[in-house]
Amino acid sequence: MNTFEKLEQLTALVKKDEQLRQKLLQTKNSQEPLDDFCHLAQQAGVDLSLGEIFAIGQEYSDNQCKSTNGGNPTPYDSFGDAYETFLASIQ
């Protein structure tokens, strides 16, 4: 299962469990938000790691560079934050 499928699985769980949704949203206020987010996902049965969350944005940036006609010599300075995007989708 790829990371996007794991996030979709977590979204489905959140739709059924308001308490889980609130806990995931509260990770924004944590000292270690991504670590706590992944820990909660794992407790809910979704095997999501911190590295996978970071890799989503990097992969997107890399694919954008490869898809540019002639290649993009410089990767993007920033790329989408999967964690923030996920939290926005469940608010």
Side-chain angles (χ1 to χ4, degrees):
M1 179 179 297
N2 70 38
T3 309
F4 292 109
E5 292 169 331
K6 291 177 183 181
L7 290 172
E8 287 175 4
Q9 181 183 13
L10 190 55
T11 299
L13 291 172
V14 163
K15 288 180 180 179
K16 297 176 186 173
D17 186 344
E18 178 62 22
Q19 187 176 21
L20 176 60
R21 184 179 84 82
Q22 288 300 320
K23 285 180 181 180
L24 290 170
L25 289 171
Q26 289 171 0
T27 62
K28 286 178 88 170
N29 303 320
S30 170
Q31 285 186 318
E32 298 292 335
L34 291 173
D35 192 39
D36 292 344
F37 177 83
C38 291
H39 183 71
L40 286 169
Q42 291 167 1
Q43 285 180 335
V46 179
D47 187 26
L48 186 64
S49 73
L50 190 60
E52 289 175 302
I53 297 294
F54 286 122
I56 291 173
Q58 183 64 46
E59 183 179 356
Y60 176 78
S61 177
D62 291 348
N63 287 340
Q64 288 294 316
C65 289
K66 289 186 277 186
S67 71
T68 304
N69 191 17
N72 182 2
T74 325
Y76 299 112
D77 289 334
S78 64
F79 38 79
D81 184 342
Y83 168 72
E84 291 290 335
T85 302
F86 179 84
L87 291 184
S89 75
I90 65 168
Q91 285 187 336

